[in-house]
Amino acid sequence: MLQGSRRKNRELGPMQNGEPMSPQTQGPQGSGENSKQMPQPATPSLPPNLPSPPPPSRPRLVFHTQLAHGSPTGRIQGFTNVKELYTKIAEVFNISPSEILFCTLNSHKVDMQKLLGGQIGLEDFIFAHVRGETKEVEVTKTEDALGLTITDNGTGYAFIKRIKEGSTIDHLKSVCVGDHIEAINDQSIVGCRHYEVAKMLKELPRGAPFTLRLVEPKKAFDMIAQRTKSAKSCGEGKVGSGRETLRLRSKGSASVQEAPNEFEERATKKVDDLLESYMGIRDLELAATIVEAGKDKQNPDDFAEALDSVLGDFAFPDVFLFDVWGAIGDVKNGRV
């Protein structure tokens, strides 16, 4: 045994509950009982404050897409909201994102029942409808309501989702479902939300003519300009054949979640009908957000407070809130 050696060895400490304790530093050779034990290889220790490894990431979701009027098939991924989705589609087809008016799922036609809203089924095929011809139409408002239902694409383009049969607009055959409303009386409304556009149209004076500048979606040879006799929207906005969907959000990240259950689907449909009745708009994502805010509330005051915290900009009238609260309660209790 070497005398006076300053060499130190690291060894595993005594066992505790069948597991070795943390490594201990042995004293100098020849000083006590530990000096008779064989030296053990050092056990590496982790640096202090080392961050824990990130959770395993979900595989990136890849979707297939085409331009609705005809194009090769592209592949897109890595988007979390509608604006980013349009940007990804534009990159694939070498166009500007501002060319895209709206998207439909699993159909290249201007079919508002297939309109892309806040959710995409994981196996859905995305068709992008781009700007076609621009047209101007003079309208005389003979009734308080024009017979239009307005929605928007989430990136600043409002467009016509429905035309009521027998209405003022229904008599103007050049106005079609899917037309983007670009301007009213030469005032651009690009960037306005659907409810703002609906309010502008509602406030136009009765009996006075006004001009709509419209942009229709570009059409393929087999696509005829579509109108609607209106009222049936059974199953409108329901997407995806699988159980999971990608939920797009205007704020925050997209998330994969289970497809809406029967209560959520029926309540969302009822609220969407009320949005059309009160505000002249249809928006399944907005309706789903309203249902989500109200489904667990115990009274209308709590519901109104929750709704104001997430959708305060809409300034919904009280009568609308009470009707929505009643509709959610009717669905929840099986009365409809």
Side-chain angles (χ1 to χ4, degrees), residues 162-224:
R162 287 221 271 196
I163 299 173
K164 185 178 180 180
E165 186 176 14
S167 65
T168 299
I169 294 296
D170 189 42
H171 293 101
L172 301 172
K173 301 306 178 184
S174 59
V175 181
C176 302
V177 167
D179 285 352
H180 159 48
I181 305 174
E182 189 173 57
I184 302 173
N185 285 335
D186 292 327
Q187 177 185 349
S188 173
I189 59 168
V190 174
C192 294
R193 292 299 314 272
H194 45 28
Y195 62 92
E196 295 173 313
V197 177
K199 184 179 179 183
M200 292 177 197
L201 293 172
K202 187 176 182 179
E203 292 176 348
L204 289 170
R206 188 170 177 175
F210 65 94
T211 302
L212 290 176
R213 184 162 74 240
L214 306 172
V215 180
E216 65 181 35
K218 192 171 184 178
K219 296 177 177 65
F221 291 114
D222 65 335
M223 294 171 67
I224 301 173

Side-chain angles (χ1 to χ4, degrees), residues 119-194:
Q119 293 185 333
I120 306 174
L122 299 190
E123 297 184 359
D124 281 338
F125 200 109
I126 303 171
F127 290 90
H129 298 254
V130 301
R131 295 173 64 95
E133 295 183 5
T134 300
K135 54 194 177 186
E136 290 199 352
V137 181
E138 186 172 285
V139 184
T140 299
K141 191 175 182 181
T142 58
E143 303 176 86
D144 291 336
L146 292 168
L148 288 177
T149 298
I150 310 297
T151 190
D152 64 46
N153 67 357
T155 64
Y157 285 175
F159 58 94
I160 299 170
K161 189 170 185 179
R162 287 221 271 196
I163 299 173
K164 185 178 180 180
E165 186 176 14
S167 65
T168 299
I169 294 296
D170 189 42
H171 293 101
L172 301 172
K173 301 306 178 184
S174 59
V175 181
C176 302
V177 167
D179 285 352
H180 159 48
I181 305 174
E182 189 173 57
I184 302 173
N185 285 335
D186 292 327
Q187 177 185 349
S188 173
I189 59 168
V190 174
C192 294
R193 292 299 314 272
H194 45 28

